[in-house]
Every structure is written in C-alpha cells, then in structure tokens.
C-alpha cells in the first residue's frame, strides 16, 4: 500500500538535534518518492514523528470527469493549427501532414494552380495535378472527421466505465487514417 506523509510534527524534545535532522531528511526523501519502505523499524521511526494518511482516492464520477478532461485536452491539441503528430498515409503513396495548417496550404496550392507539393518527409512532388491536391485535401478532411468520431466513441466508453480502476486503466489513443 502506498502511504503519503503530511505535516511533519513532533510533540516533545525527544526528536531534537541530530534525530530531528534525520527525521527531517527522511521526511524529505519520502516526500520526493511518495513511499514508505516496508522495514518495520523504519515504520516505527516514521510513525513516531509523522502523521500518516491514506492518499485521496477520487470517486468514480471524479475519475471519469478527470479522464474526460484529459480526452478533451488531447483532442484540443490535435485541433491546433500546426501539429506534427497528425500524419496520414495518402492514397497517392506518401505521408502527408494532416493538421489545419496543411489543409490551408493545400487550399492555397489549388487556388493558385501550383502543382508542386512537399510531403511530410520533405520530399517534393512536382508532378501533382489539381485532382491530386483535391485528393490530399479530402484525405485531410476525412482524417479530421475520423478524429472527432474517435473522440466521441471514447467519451461514451469513459462514461460507461464501472470502476475507478477501469477509468485509471483506460488509455486514450487517436489513430490516424491510412489511405494507402
């Protein structure tokens, strides 16, 4: 069992001088590592000078709320204008950035009739057609919708969990599409 130590206190002069320094050092070490070794002698020393409390355990509702906040935070990161973690494999055979900035860049290339495109791996593709660029734009949009759908599924899964342990063990992961 993990125990946290709070509020170092000693009531008399028994823990003065070197003993107080040792206990203070011990207390600082425990605060740094958040554990108490199982050695009974050590337990006795610690118990004689410190209040020991069980760590706060959130309720199921609190754990779910925290996990949903984590999901929303990660989802918001994916919506940022520039996010190098949003990469899809295009049906055109190479990896592309698929964040909002990349979509804007594709719009600009289409609008200006530019047919050179640089992929995620910084390879230039000078033979791109307008239809190729529209394909990339559509794949970026499809991936964005895919990410929203994943978020909504995860929200429902989190809401349906039955124990705090299930909530704590739930892993939030977003998968990018592969059109290849």
């Amino acid at each position: 069992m993990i125990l946290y130590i709070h509020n170092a206190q000693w009531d008399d002069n028994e823990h003065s001088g070197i003993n107080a320094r040792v206990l203070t050092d011990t207390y600082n070490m425990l605060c740094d590592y958040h554990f108490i070794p199982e050695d009974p002698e050590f337990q006795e020393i610690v118990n004689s000078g410190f209040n020991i409390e069980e760590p706060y355990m959130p309720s199921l509702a609190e754990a779910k709320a925290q996990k949903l906040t984590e999901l929303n935070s990660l989802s918001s990161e994916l919506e940022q204008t520039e996010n190098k973690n949003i990469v899809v494999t295009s049906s055109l055979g190479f990896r592309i950035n698929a964040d909002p900035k990349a979509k804007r860049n594709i719009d600009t290339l289409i609008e200006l009739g530019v047919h050179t495109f640089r992929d995620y791996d910084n390879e230039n593709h000078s033979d791109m057609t307008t239809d190729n660029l529209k394909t990339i734009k559509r794949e970026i949009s499809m991936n964005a919708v895919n990410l929203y759908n994943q978020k909504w599924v995860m929200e429902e899964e989190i809401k349906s969990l039955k124990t705090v342990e299930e909530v704590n063990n739930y892993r939030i992961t977003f998968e990018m599409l592969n059109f290849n």
Side-chain angles (χ1 to χ4, degrees):
M1 172 180 292
I2 296 174
L3 298 175
Y4 292 83
I5 297 183
H6 302 279
N7 304 324
Q9 307 174 13
W10 35 92
D11 300 319
D12 53 36
N13 290 329
E14 179 184 340
H15 301 306
S16 62
I18 293 174
N19 288 340
R21 190 169 55 246
V22 169
L23 285 173
T24 300
D25 290 344
T26 302
Y27 175 75
N28 290 335
M29 183 271 307
L30 292 171
C31 288
D32 288 342
Y33 294 101
H34 300 289
F35 76 96
I36 299 174
E38 297 299 323
D39 181 343
E41 287 181 35
F42 187 79
Q43 290 285 337
E44 186 178 326
I45 292 169
V46 171
N47 289 336
S48 70
F50 300 97
N51 292 331
I52 298 179
E53 301 172 6
E54 292 285 336
Y56 175 75
M57 298 302 291
S59 68
L60 179 59
E62 291 169 326
K64 286 181 181 183
Q66 183 177 14
K67 189 62 77 170
L68 289 169
T69 299
E70 179 184 345
L71 173 63
N72 287 330
S73 175
L74 291 171
S75 176
S76 291
E77 287 178 26
L78 294 175
E79 296 170 3
Q80 296 304 311
T81 300
E82 188 170 357
N83 186 321
K84 298 296 181 191
N85 295 321
I86 305 178
V87 179
V88 300
T89 301
S90 173
S91 60
L92 300 176
F94 46 82
R95 298 187 313 162
I96 59 173
N97 295 68
D99 59 14
K101 180 182 178 184
K103 187 173 180 185
R104 274 196 331 272
N105 291 345
I106 294 293
D107 283 336
T108 301
L109 294 176
I110 293 169
E111 181 182 327
L112 298 176
V114 176
H115 293 258
T116 298
F117 173 78
R118 181 173 275 193
D119 67 22
Y120 176 79
D121 297 306
N122 293 318
E123 297 290 327
N124 285 327
H125 302 271
S126 57
D127 57 346
M128 300 296 286
T129 66
T130 301
D131 284 341
N132 292 146
L133 295 172
K134 287 180 179 179
T135 296
I136 292 171
K137 180 180 176 181
R138 185 173 45 257
E139 290 171 348
I140 292 171
S141 296
M142 291 170 67
N143 191 65
V145 170
N146 168 58
L147 294 174
Y148 277 115
N149 285 334
Q150 288 179 61
K151 177 187 176 191
W152 298 329
V153 167
M154 286 187 273
E155 282 176 347
E156 294 308 312
E157 289 174 347
I158 292 167
K159 289 176 184 177
S160 71
L161 296 173
K162 303 292 185 209
T163 67
V164 172
E165 183 178 7
E166 287 177 349
V167 174
N168 290 339
N169 291 331
Y170 187 88
R171 296 292 166 242
I172 298 171
T173 57
F174 287 93
E175 298 294 325
M176 305 301 150
L177 293 177
N178 181 344
F179 295 98
N180 201 4

